[in-house]
Amino acid sequence: MLKDILFSTAAIRCLLPKALVRHYSLPIALLADLSLPEYTLTFPLRKVPVLFSLHQQHLSEVAAILFYLNSLASNRDNLVPADTTANSYFQVIRWLSFFTSEYVPALALCFKQLDGRLPYNRPQYDDSLSKIAVMSLMLEHHLLLHNGFLVEPNHITMADLFGASCALRGFNFFFDAAWRKDHPITTSWFLNVTSSPILKDDFAAFQFINKAHELAPQ
Ligand SMILES: N[C@@H](CCC(=O)N[C@@H](CS)C(=O)NCC(=O)O)C(=O)O
C-alpha cells in the first residue's frame, strides 16, 4: 500500500517525528533520500522534516508535523492538551515554536562551525553562545517554577519531548560537567524525558561530555 512519506534525516528536528512514527506504528514511510522527486519537487526550501502526503496538503514545519502525527496516534499519551482553549495547549505551541525558531538555530550556528558545516565566524559564534546561555538560564528557572516539566506538573507533553530532543545537541557539544552542575533541573528534565518510552531507544547510547567543545582559533 502506498504511504505518506516523512522525509527525515539525522538532523535534530527529525528525531522526535521519527520516534513518534515508530512508537505508535503510524502508517507513514520514513525516508532520508532527499534526491527523490517527491521531495525535490515539493519542498524547494530543502528543509527537514517534511511530510509528503497522498491524501491532503503536504506539511512542512516540525510543530505542524508533530501535531499531525499526534492526531494519528489519537493523543494516546495526552502529549497535547485536548482542550484547545486551555493555557496548557498554548504553552505547548509556545515551546515547540521556541525550540525550533530560537533554541535550535542558536545551537546550530555553533555546532555547525565546530564540524565545518558553517564557515568560521568567531563573533557570531560567541554571540550565539551568549544566547544559548540566556536560554539555558531561562529554561532552568522555568523548570524550577513548574515542577520539572515545561507545561504540566509531572506530565510529559509534546513540548518536553521536542525540547529534550533538541537539547541533545547542547549536551553533545556544550553542556559539560560544569554546565550540568549549574543547570541541575534542566539536566534531570533531559534525562527524565529522554528515558521515557517514546525517546528511550534513540537515547540508549547517549553519554554526557566532560568538557565543552571549543572553536579553534583560525
Ligand atoms: N522552520 C522549520 C526549520 C526546519 C529546518 O531548518 N530544519 C533543518 C534540519 S534540523 C534543515 O533542514 N536544515 C537544512 C537547511 O537549512 O538547509 C521547522 O520548524 O521545521
Side-chain angles (χ1 to χ4, degrees):
M1 190 184 84
L2 289 175
K3 288 180 176 176
D4 289 354
I5 304 170
L6 180 68
F7 285 99
S8 46
T9 64
I12 196 65
R13 290 182 184 84
C14 300
L15 196 159
L16 180 57
K18 282 193 285 190
L20 290 172
V21 170
R22 291 196 197 107
H23 181 77
Y24 292 121
S25 305
L26 300 179
I28 291 179
L30 297 175
L31 292 186
D33 182 354
L34 306 187
S35 67
L36 293 173
E38 286 88 341
Y39 182 79
T40 55
L41 301 178
T42 317
F43 303 104
L45 291 182
R46 301 194 57 78
K47 305 256 182 182
V48 285
V50 287
L51 188 107
F52 179 88
S53 177
L54 299 168
H55 318 287
Q56 57 187 15
Q57 283 192 43
H58 309 303
L59 280 178
S60 63
E61 310 310 316
V62 64
I65 290 169
L66 292 174
F67 267 55
Y68 174 62
L69 298 177
N70 183 62
S71 76
L72 295 183
S74 312
N75 206 7
R76 235 179 278 171
D77 293 303
N78 295 321
L79 299 179
V80 175
D83 180 356
T84 59
T85 65
N87 182 262
S88 52
Y89 182 80
F90 308 132
Q91 291 295 327
V92 170
I93 297 172
R94 166 201 183 184
W95 288 110
L96 297 184
S97 180
F98 167 79
F99 282 104
T100 192
S101 63
E102 305 290 338
Y103 192 81
V104 171
L107 284 169
L109 199 141
C110 293
F111 71 71
K112 286 186 176 178
Q113 285 194 47
L114 289 172
D115 68 18
R117 276 183 287 169
L118 280 178
Y120 177 86
N121 185 324
R122 183 95 235 178
Q124 272 188 4
Y125 186 91
D126 289 343
D127 182 53
S128 221
L129 272 190
S130 307
K131 285 185 186 148
I132 294 166
V134 172
M135 289 189 268
S136 298
L137 209 57
M138 189 194 97
L139 272 179
E140 183 74 9
H141 287 157
H142 182 88
L143 291 168
L144 171 69
L145 292 176
H146 295 83
N147 294 312
F149 291 89
L150 288 174
V151 178
E152 292 176 350
N154 303 318
H155 174 64
I156 293 178
T157 63
M158 193 69 88
D160 298 290
L161 290 171
F162 185 61
S165 68
C166 294
L168 174 62
R169 286 292 176 264
F171 284 98
N172 287 149
F173 290 94
F174 310 109
F175 302 166
D176 60 10
W179 187 97
R180 297 193 298 274
K181 192 161 169 282
D182 290 343
H183 302 81
I185 304 172
T186 307
T187 304
S188 299
W189 165 77
F190 173 77
L191 287 174
N192 184 8
V193 176
T194 58
S195 61
S196 66
I198 292 172
L199 288 179
K200 70 175 172 26
D201 291 350
D202 287 294
F203 285 80
F206 170 76
Q207 288 191 327
F208 283 134
I209 53 167
N210 281 328
K211 201 81 202 86
H213 294 232
E214 282 180 20
L215 188 62
Q218 287 194 359

